[in-house]
Amino acid sequence: MQPKAKRRIVLVAEFSIHPIGMGTSVGRYVKAAVRAMSRIPELTVDVTPMSSVLEAESIGTILEAVEVSHRILRSMGAKRISSSLRIDERLDKRRKMSDKTRGLKRLARAGP
Amino acid sequence: MQPKAKRRIVLVAEFSIHPIGMGTSVGRYVKAAVRAMSRIPELTVDVTPMSSVLEAESIGTILEAVEVSHRILRSMGAKRISSSLRIDERLDKRRKMSDKTRGLKRLARAGP
Amino acid sequence: MQPKAKRRIVLVAEFSIHPIGMGTSVGRYVKAAVRAMSRIPELTVDVTPMSSVLEAESIGTILEAVEVSHRILRSMGAKRISSSLRIDERLDKRRKMSDKTRGLKRLARAGP
Amino acid sequence: MQPKAKRRIVLVAEFSIHPIGMGTSVGRYVKAAVRAMSRIPELTVDVTPMSSVLEAESIGTILEAVEVSHRILRSMGAKRISSSLRIDERLDKRRKMSDKTRGLKRLARAGP
């Protein structure tokens, strides 16, 4: 099996999901969604304080993550679900997720 | 065939897409995406100055709109594509797209 | 006073806000936010099923809308607030909000 | 001076900005925005492959980050600027940015 780091990353996306009306602590719903997405083959998932960063070679894989996340929240009894997805599809050059943050991390840490 | 207005709307979404690096005027790409989405059966599309508002009974239909939009921009030569999707899935009561703006329109127009 | 339609629109934005954990019906919070934003001078507000479309000449005016919306939800007792803002700032040509949808509305209505 | 980690984090946000029409490689614009945001006192900035994660005690600090980012892109000659901001304001309990990812990282890494 090809290691994840070597795959050609065409799509990087940012996805966030939460139920509305199930209290202010939505952590267990977010956890369930991350766990469900992590089971999707060909998808790389990383979490940030605001969303999951998704990497894939095909847009279908990214959209499957959205679908399974909504499904898992429905199965947990959520009556209303809000989600947000931003996709960056890049066809002009090969890249890896790490390419996008290299250098930037250093800038951010330098601080005021 | 059942008229669109009578369908049970479970999902309302907001979708926006544009190419990066094809000049500042991206109208023809947006038009092509709206045209492609409008051909999807079971999907209602309405446009605002910032995005397309999508209505459907199933999340698969919403995600198909994202997929065909990326596909059409790729076919037009876009080398990098940015898109944004926000989904509001509501299972606790029936509604129509118009339900969500009734009353609000009046408030906004009242102005300062 | 200059009529709103004649102002030079540099920024068009899409803004959405809701409390988390106050039940699934968040309409009264959304209404309060729209009412508060509508009182901001130099800001044009229009509502869609998913968000408020904001128009202004200066980014400060757009950001003031975000600030007053969070403030009103806090004053209504919201313990957790989620909001989403997308800005399109365009300096290369004059435009009005209506410019962005002309033509697109027709396409969307043509349907499948 | 109080160390950043000890501050009470009320707001966590996710912010992304890019010019439209300046080519597909927008890295230098993103870098300039991150550098400008990192100079804002009372703001913590961390970068992900898709956006900057911002932490602050006041919403004004978050919105200042948006304002300086648009300003820096304008000063670099961008004729059209697209940005996206998602805010999570939480008043019911103290937290730190790291609280939101603890546990989730492990889940994501467990993989399929």
Side-chain angles (χ1 to χ4, degrees):
Chain A
M1 193 192 139
Q2 203 186 9
K4 286 185 169 189
K6 291 277 183 66
R7 280 195 276 134
R8 185 189 168 191
I9 299 309
V10 170
L11 296 117
V12 183
E14 182 173 85
F15 178 64
S16 168
I17 189 165
H18 64 259
I20 296 180
M22 310 298 277
T24 53
S25 293
V26 300
R28 70 186 191 96
Y29 298 93
V30 174
K31 260 176 210 161
V34 170
R35 195 181 291 119
M37 289 189 284
S38 299
R39 283 189 202 112
I40 299 173
E42 312 297 322
L43 182 73
T44 304
V45 181
D46 196 9
V47 294
T48 81
M50 287 296 288
S51 54
S52 295
V53 177
L54 312 176
E55 273 189 6
E57 290 178 82
S58 123
I59 194 165
T61 307
I62 300 286
L63 300 178
E64 192 185 339
V66 176
E67 192 155 14
V68 302
S69 297
H70 274 257
R71 191 187 306 143
I72 200 92
L73 263 68
R74 278 196 307 267
S75 78
M76 291 171 80
K79 292 297 173 231
R80 189 168 189 175
I81 302 164
S82 175
S83 75
S84 179
L85 174 73
R86 268 195 333 114
I87 299 175
D88 177 17
E89 177 173 20
R90 185 151 196 189
L91 304 150
D92 58 341
K93 63 169 200 176
R94 290 173 175 265
R95 62 173 172 181
K96 288 180 304 190
M97 202 191 272
S98 55
D99 292 347
K100 292 194 77 181
T101 49
R102 198 175 302 147
L104 287 176
K105 285 274 184 195
R106 199 176 25 80
L107 278 177
R109 277 197 211 104
Chain B
M1 194 193 140
Q2 202 185 9
K4 286 185 171 191
K6 291 277 182 66
R7 279 194 278 134
R8 184 189 169 194
I9 299 309
V10 171
L11 297 118
V12 184
E14 181 173 84
F15 179 64
S16 167
I17 190 167
H18 65 258
I20 296 180
M22 311 297 278
T24 54
S25 293
V26 300
R28 71 187 191 93
Y29 297 92
V30 174
K31 259 176 211 159
V34 170
R35 194 182 291 117
M37 289 189 284
S38 298
R39 283 189 203 111
I40 298 173
E42 311 297 321
L43 182 75
T44 304
V45 181
D46 196 9
V47 294
T48 80
M50 286 296 288
S51 54
S52 294
V53 178
L54 311 176
E55 272 190 7
E57 290 177 83
S58 123
I59 194 165
T61 307
I62 300 286
L63 300 179
E64 192 185 339
V66 176
E67 191 155 15
V68 301
S69 297
H70 275 257
R71 191 186 305 142
I72 200 93
L73 262 70
R74 278 196 306 268
S75 78
M76 291 171 81
K79 292 296 173 230
R80 189 168 189 175
I81 302 165
S82 176
S83 75
S84 180
L85 174 74
R86 265 192 339 111
I87 299 177
D88 178 16
E89 176 172 22
R90 185 152 195 187
L91 303 150
D92 59 340
K93 63 170 200 176
R94 291 173 175 266
R95 61 172 172 183
K96 287 180 306 190
M97 202 191 273
S98 55
D99 292 346
K100 292 194 75 181
T101 50
R102 198 175 302 146
L104 287 177
K105 286 275 184 193
R106 198 176 26 79
L107 278 178
R109 277 196 211 103
Chain C
M1 195 193 138
Q2 203 185 10
K4 285 185 169 191
K6 290 279 182 62
R7 280 194 277 134
R8 186 191 168 193
I9 300 310
V10 170
L11 297 116
V12 183
E14 182 172 83
F15 179 64
S16 167
I17 189 165
H18 65 260
I20 297 179
M22 311 297 278
T24 54
S25 293
V26 299
R28 71 187 191 95
Y29 297 92
V30 174
K31 259 177 210 159
V34 170
R35 195 182 291 120
M37 289 189 283
S38 299
R39 284 189 202 112
I40 298 173
E42 311 296 322
L43 182 74
T44 304
V45 181
D46 197 9
V47 295
T48 80
M50 286 297 287
S51 54
S52 295
V53 178
L54 310 176
E55 270 189 7
E57 289 177 83
S58 123
I59 194 165
T61 307
I62 299 286
L63 301 178
E64 193 185 338
V66 176
E67 192 156 12
V68 302
S69 297
H70 275 258
R71 191 187 305 143
I72 200 91
L73 262 69
R74 278 196 307 267
S75 77
M76 292 171 80
K79 292 298 173 228
R80 190 169 189 175
I81 302 164
S82 176
S83 75
S84 180
L85 173 74
R86 266 194 335 113
I87 299 176
D88 178 17
E89 176 173 22
R90 186 153 196 188
L91 303 151
D92 59 341
K93 63 170 201 176
R94 292 172 175 264
R95 61 172 173 184
K96 286 180 306 188
M97 202 191 272
S98 55
D99 292 348
K100 293 194 76 180
T101 49
R102 197 175 302 146
L104 287 176
K105 285 274 183 195
R106 198 176 24 81
L107 278 177
R109 278 199 209 101
Chain D
M1 195 193 138
Q2 204 186 9
K4 285 187 168 188
K6 290 278 184 64
R7 281 195 276 133
R8 187 191 167 191
I9 299 311
V10 171
L11 298 117
V12 183
E14 181 173 84
F15 178 64
S16 167
I17 189 166
H18 65 259
I20 297 179
M22 310 297 278
T24 53
S25 293
V26 299
R28 70 187 192 96
Y29 297 93
V30 174
K31 260 177 210 160
V34 170
R35 195 182 291 119
M37 289 189 283
S38 300
R39 284 189 202 112
I40 299 173
E42 311 297 321
L43 182 74
T44 304
V45 181
D46 197 9
V47 295
T48 81
M50 286 297 287
S51 54
S52 295
V53 178
L54 312 176
E55 271 189 6
E57 289 177 84
S58 123
I59 194 166
T61 307
I62 300 287
L63 301 179
E64 193 185 338
V66 176
E67 191 155 13
V68 302
S69 296
H70 274 257
R71 191 187 306 143
I72 200 92
L73 263 69
R74 278 196 307 268
S75 78
M76 291 171 81
K79 293 296 173 232
R80 189 169 189 175
I81 302 164
S82 176
S83 75
S84 179
L85 174 74
R86 266 194 335 113
I87 298 176
D88 178 17
E89 177 173 20
R90 186 153 195 188
L91 303 151
D92 59 339
K93 63 170 200 176
R94 291 174 175 264
R95 62 173 171 181
K96 286 180 304 188
M97 203 191 269
S98 55
D99 291 347
K100 294 194 75 180
T101 49
R102 198 176 301 146
L104 287 176
K105 286 274 184 194
R106 199 177 24 82
L107 277 177
R109 277 196 210 104

